[in-house]
Structures are given as structure tokens and as C-alpha cells.
Amino acid sequence: DTAVSQTPKYLVTQMGNDKSIKCEQNLGHDTMYWYKQDSKKFLKIMFSYNNKELIINETVPNRFSPKSPDKAHLNLHINSLELGDSAVYFCASSPLKNTEAFFGQGTRLTVV
Amino acid sequence: GNSVTQMEGPVTLSEEAFLTINCTYTATGYPSLFWYVQYPGEGLQLLLKATKADDKGSNKGFEATYRKETTSFHLEKGSVQVSDSAVYFCALHGSSNTGKLIFGQGTTLQVKP
């Protein structure tokens, strides 16, 4: 009965590959997010969707493409992975846009 | 633009010591303020929140008061435990009404027995 679940938890891949991270929330929330946490633990928003509509796209390279098939799912696809993409990626959701967010466990992506 | 600044870590305390982690913010309007905690290897969990000036958020012995006059939201706990060892993040909602959270840089707390 996990509220926000991401898969996979760990992802190790070679430069140049394409990979996806999946996120699902069972909280009935309308808004979902992707955040990136770098090696110094700094967190920054990447994308936000509200009812399947993109509302935030924070100067992320267009190799990153979010997709929201329905309001319970927000996936992140990354093309042509680079070493600098190594980070922990967190999915989150919130019931309304300016209420607290609930985070998944994170996906640790390592590009070698 | 909006921003959050936290005290540099790591903070190392003995068990039962008093904890303060400072957080100040810059924002237009009246942001909501949050403290999140990240235990090792885990995601972020909401610890407490405050949505307007002078509100006090509290949870698990932690407290923080929304001080608009000093633009601060310092986290305190009277007696820390080893299990409180984690990274603590102060955050606010930006003024754009998009739900975007702006985080401070995080403060690592290590509590020794």
C-alpha cells in the first residue's frame, strides 16, 4: 500500500543509453512531480504535471521527457544518458498545487 | 527570486542534546514553509509545516515557528535521539502557485550515543 512508488530503485547504465523511470501514486492526487537530487543532496524540481497537463518544465535538457498517461502515473524517460545525469531522482505528488508533497523512495541512477 | 538558506552541516550532537537547525527564506507573498527529513537510503518525509505567519508546526518532538518578521523557520528539538540522524531540508512553495517546492541545501544531523 505504498503511497508513491518508483521503479527501479537502482539503475546502472552506460553512457548513451536510453532509460525510463516509472512512478505511480495511489493517493488520488492531481499533481505529480519529478525532482533531481545531486551528489551534494541538493534538490531541484524538474517537471510537474497537474491532471496530466505539464505545468512546470525547469530548464531541463530535452533529453529528459516526462509522460503522464493518467493522473496516477508520471514516468521519466531519458535519452542519450550522460555521466552528469547520475543522481537520485524523486517522484512526488500532492493533492493540490500548493500543499505538501509526498515523495517516493527515489531512483539512484548511475551512468558509467 | 524565492530561495531558502539553511545552516551548514554536518551537525553532530550527543544524545539528549538540544537541536536547532536554522532556516531563513526569501519569498514574495506568503509562502507555506516545510521541513522534510531524509533518513539514509530513503525518500523525503514531511516532518512539519506552517502555512501562515506565527503558525507553529510540530511533529515527533520537532517544532518550527513561521516568523515573517525575521523570514525564518528554524527547526528545534529539545532532546535528540540517535534515530534522528538524517538530512533535514527546509522548503517553501514558490509564489507561482504551481506547487513547486524550493529547497534549502539540507543539513546533515548526526547524533552520537
Side-chain angles (χ1 to χ4, degrees):
Chain A
D1 59 340
T2 306
V4 182
S5 59
Q6 299 177 224
T7 54
K9 189 169 182 181
Y10 300 98
L11 185 52
V12 180
T13 188
Q14 291 189 325
M15 279 175 53
N17 283 351
D18 302 339
K19 290 293 176 187
S20 292
I21 305 171
K22 296 188 175 183
C23 178
E24 176 181 5
Q25 55 96 1
N26 62 6
L27 298 167
H29 292 168
D30 285 342
T31 309
M32 295 185 72
Y33 313 84
W34 280 108
Y35 284 84
K36 180 180 179 180
Q37 185 175 46
D38 65 21
S39 58
K40 295 185 179 177
K41 300 281 189 186
F42 185 69
L43 280 150
K44 189 168 182 207
I45 194 163
M46 300 173 69
F47 300 104
S48 173
Y49 271 74
N50 182 253
N51 273 324
K52 303 196 299 173
E53 180 186 347
L54 180 67
I55 56 172
I56 297 176
N57 182 344
E58 285 278 307
T59 59
V60 176
N62 56 18
R63 297 182 295 104
F64 289 78
S65 53
K67 284 193 170 50
S68 181
D70 56 61
K71 74 174 193 178
H73 295 83
L74 180 61
N75 304 322
L76 183 65
H77 187 76
I78 315 169
N79 289 328
S80 304
L81 277 154
E82 300 177 357
L83 293 176
D85 297 332
S86 296
V88 181
Y89 293 84
F90 286 102
C91 179
S93 72
S94 61
L96 298 171
K97 281 183 273 185
N98 273 3
T99 54
E100 63 267 30
F102 295 78
F103 284 78
Q105 293 287 83
T107 296
R108 181 173 294 277
L109 171 65
T110 304
V111 183
V112 297
Chain B
N2 297 331
S3 65
V4 177
T5 303
Q6 292 179 233
M7 62 189 286
E8 290 277 340
V11 173
T12 302
L13 296 173
S14 297
E15 212 165 18
E16 298 183 5
F18 185 87
L19 168 71
T20 300
I21 300 178
N22 289 339
C23 171
T24 56
Y25 68 90
T26 302
T28 53
Y30 301 90
S32 295
L33 301 172
F34 306 87
W35 276 101
Y36 281 86
V37 58
Q38 185 177 25
Y39 297 103
E42 296 187 14
L44 281 79
Q45 299 175 27
L46 177 68
L47 183 58
L48 53 84
K49 67 176 183 179
T51 57
K52 59 183 188 297
D54 300 324
D55 266 3
K56 179 187 280 189
S58 60
N59 186 24
K60 299 181 182 178
F62 290 89
E63 292 182 342
T65 301
Y66 187 162
R67 302 277 188 210
K68 188 154 179 66
E69 64 276 13
T70 53
T71 61
S72 65
F73 193 53
H74 304 320
L75 183 68
E76 296 182 335
K77 186 175 186 183
S79 175
V80 293
Q81 305 301 312
V82 172
S83 57
D84 293 326
S85 298
V87 183
Y88 292 81
F89 292 92
C90 186
L92 64 77
H93 270 307
S95 57
S96 57
N97 198 33
T98 59
K100 169 183 169 180
L101 278 168
I102 296 168
F103 286 90
Q105 68 269 41
T107 303
T108 299
L109 169 65
Q110 186 176 24
V111 181
K112 297 190 170 179

